[in-house]
Amino acid sequence: SQELEQSPQSLIVQEGKNLTINCTSSKTLYGLYWYKQKYGEGLIFLMMLQKGGEEKSHEKITAKLDEKKQQSSLHITASQPSHAGIYLCGGGNFGNEKLTFGTGTRLTIIP
Amino acid sequence: NAGVTQTPKFRILKIGQSMTLQCTQDMNHNYMYWYRQDPGMGLKLIYYSVGAGITDKGEVPNGYNVSRSTTEDFPLRLELAAPSQTSVYFCASSYSRRRNTGELFFGEGSRLTVL
C-alpha cells in the first residue's frame, strides 16, 4: 500500500521566517493534496497538485510536485501566527480510489 | 451550505459498548471516506466508498463496519468498543478524481473516548 512520509514531524519557526515541509510517497501519485488543520478543528483544503513539476501558490504558501510525482514540498514565506497548525499531505494512486494521508507536520510560530 | 455533517460531535463509551457515527453529505459526491486521527498524528483511512452499495477497507478497518445504502449517508459502526478506538473521527466526501480536482470535503470531526 502507498505510504506518505512527512518531514519534519514538528517545526518551531520565528515569525517572519520562511519554512519548508516535505512529503514523500513510496509510489507514484495520481494527485497530491495539502491540507491544514488548526488545533482541535477540521481540515482546510490548501491546494492540489496533479502534474509532474507542477507548482501552485496561494498567498504566502507555495506547493511543488516533483517530476516523478513522488515528492512534494510546501513552502511558507514570511510566516505569521495564522500559519500555525498541522499540515497534512494526502495522495492517491491512479486506479486506486483510496486517499491516504501523511503523518502530519505540527507548525508552531513564535513571536 | 451544510456540506459534510457528522454526529455526534462528542461521545464517551464504555468498553464493550457499540455505537454508530453518522455522516451525511448534500453535495451529491460519489466518494465518501472515514478517517481516524490519534493525538498528534496524521489521518488513518478506516473505510471508503466509491458509490452507493460499494464499500472497501482502508488501512485500519478492524473493529469497524460501514454501509452505504444511499449516496448521501455513510455511517460508521463501532462494535465492542475498545480503548484503542479512542480518537477523533473524520468523515469526508469528494467527486470522482477523474472528473474533478478530487478535493476532499471534511466534516468537523467526532471525538470519541472509550473508558
Side-chain angles (χ1 to χ4, degrees), chain B residues 15 19 25 28 32 39 52 57 67 77 81 96 109:
Chain B
I15 294 172
M19 74 160 296
Q25 53 91 8
N28 201 31
M32 295 188 75
K57 296 178 180 179
S67 59
R77 177 89 177 154
S96 163

Side-chain angles (χ1 to χ4, degrees), chain A residues 49-75:
Chain A
L49 305 165
Q50 211 165 10
K51 298 177 183 176
E54 188 173 8
E55 179 176 321
K56 286 186 178 178
S57 292
H58 177 67
E59 297 180 345
K60 294 186 178 181
I61 300 176
T62 300
K64 300 178 184 178
L65 183 63
D66 75 333
E67 291 290 342
K68 290 185 178 180
K69 297 170 68 174
Q70 285 188 269
Q71 285 192 324
S72 179
S73 61
L74 186 83
H75 185 76

Side-chain angles (χ1 to χ4, degrees), chain A residues 15-39:
Chain A
E15 184 177 352
K17 299 292 186 183
N18 303 337
L19 63 105
T20 299
I21 298 168
N22 295 300
C23 176
T24 302
S25 171
S26 57
K27 298 182 180 181
T28 300
L29 294 162
Y30 175 80
L32 189 286
Y33 304 78
W34 282 101
Y35 281 82
K36 177 189 172 187
Q37 183 182 28
K38 289 191 174 180
Y39 301 121

